[in-house]
Amino acid sequence: MMQVFDHTSKVGDIVTQFPQASDLFKAYRIDFCCGGNRPLGEVISEKNLNEEEILKQLNEGYEQKISEGQKQHNWTQAPYSEIIRHIIHKHHAYLYQELPQLSPYVTKVFRVHGISHPELVEIHRLFHELKTELEQHSMKEEEVVFPLILAYEHNPGAESLQNLKNGIDELQNEHDHAGDILKRMREVTEDYKLPEGACMTYQMTFKRLQEIESDLFEHIHLENNILFKRVLADIHEQ
C-alpha cells in the first residue's frame, strides 16, 4: 500500500489532494475546512481516534482511486475565475435557495416541540444567526472580494493588494464563526439525534440542517484551503 498521507499531513491538504477523504472526515467529525491547517495526527490525538485505522483507510482509498484511473478536478491548478464561478453557481446558489426555504421548518419544529425539547430554542436561534451571516457573507464575497481577486488575476500588480488581503482575512474570520455555530448545533442536538417518535417535519429539518453543514464544509474548504491560500501565497511573493 502506498503511504501518501501520514500523521503530519494537514487535514485540508489531504482533502485537496483526495476529495473523497471528506466523507471519511465527516464520519469521524474531523473539521477539514476551518481546521484545515492542523496536522491529522494532532486532530486524531485530540479526539482519541485510531490513527492507524484512519491512515489505512485514507491511503487505501487514495490508492484505489489512482488504480481505477479516476481523475479528480484539480482546483489547485484551476484559474481563480473558474473556482469563483464554481463557488457562486454551486455553493452560493444552494445557500440562497435552501436557507430561506428551511427557515419556516426550523421555526415550526421549535414552536411545536420546543417545550418538550428545549434544545430546539437554541437551534432556532443558531440557525437564524447562521442564515443572516451566510447571506451577508456570500454577498460580500460576490460584490467585494471576488471582484478584487478577478482583477488581480487579470492584472497581478501590487495595487489594492492590501485591500484584498484584508478582505480575505475578514472572510476567513467569518468562516471560523460559521464553523463554531455548526459545531454548537451538533453539540446541542447530540449529533442531530432524533427523539423517539419524531414527526416527519422534525426528521426532515434535522436532515436538511446536516446537508447544509456538509455543503458548507466543502464550500469553506474550497475557499480557505485552495482559493484564498493560493491568492495569499501569490500576494506574499509580490
Side-chain angles (χ1 to χ4, degrees), residues 73-230:
H73 193 99
N74 190 353
W75 291 115
T76 63
Q77 300 297 321
Y80 295 151
S81 53
E82 182 183 350
I83 301 174
I84 288 171
R85 190 161 53 246
H86 175 77
I87 291 169
I88 292 173
H89 291 166
K90 182 177 188 293
H91 297 295
H92 285 192
Y94 168 72
L95 290 175
Y96 288 143
Q97 179 178 36
E98 181 64 2
L99 291 171
Q101 288 183 353
L102 185 55
S103 175
Y105 292 108
V106 174
T107 298
K108 181 178 180 180
V109 169
F110 158 60
R111 285 177 175 167
V112 175
H113 302 283
I115 294 177
S116 54
H117 298 285
E119 69 275 9
L120 294 175
V121 177
E122 183 72 351
I123 287 297
H124 183 268
R125 183 189 69 79
L126 289 168
F127 170 78
H128 286 95
E129 178 182 352
L130 182 69
K131 175 180 180 293
T132 299
E133 291 197 6
L134 288 176
E135 288 170 342
Q136 294 175 355
H137 176 88
S138 297
M139 286 189 287
K140 185 187 303 180
E141 288 185 338
E142 293 178 21
E143 296 176 7
V144 180
V145 176
F146 286 174
L148 286 174
I149 293 175
L150 293 174
Y152 173 72
E153 181 178 46
H154 289 100
N155 183 21
E159 187 177 357
S160 300
L161 287 187
Q162 189 59 46
N163 288 339
L164 178 52
K165 183 180 183 304
N166 291 342
I168 289 176
D169 288 344
E170 185 175 338
L171 292 178
Q172 289 180 319
N173 288 335
E174 292 175 1
H175 286 165
D176 288 343
H177 189 237
D180 289 341
I181 294 175
L182 292 173
K183 290 174 185 175
R184 180 59 184 159
M185 291 173 76
R186 276 209 168 267
E187 289 172 359
V188 300
T189 58
E190 298 181 3
D191 286 332
Y192 292 103
K193 180 181 177 181
L194 290 165
E196 186 176 350
C199 67
M200 290 302 298
T201 301
Y202 205 133
Q203 295 177 46
M204 177 272 294
T205 299
F206 271 28
K207 180 176 183 292
R208 287 169 69 172
L209 286 172
Q210 291 178 84
E211 289 171 351
I212 287 175
E213 177 192 73
S214 180
D215 185 81
L216 272 173
F217 280 172
E218 296 177 14
H219 179 177
I220 295 174
H221 164 70
L222 185 55
E223 292 185 351
N224 276 11
N225 302 322
I226 299 180
L227 177 62
F228 295 162
K229 184 176 181 178
R230 283 177 56 191

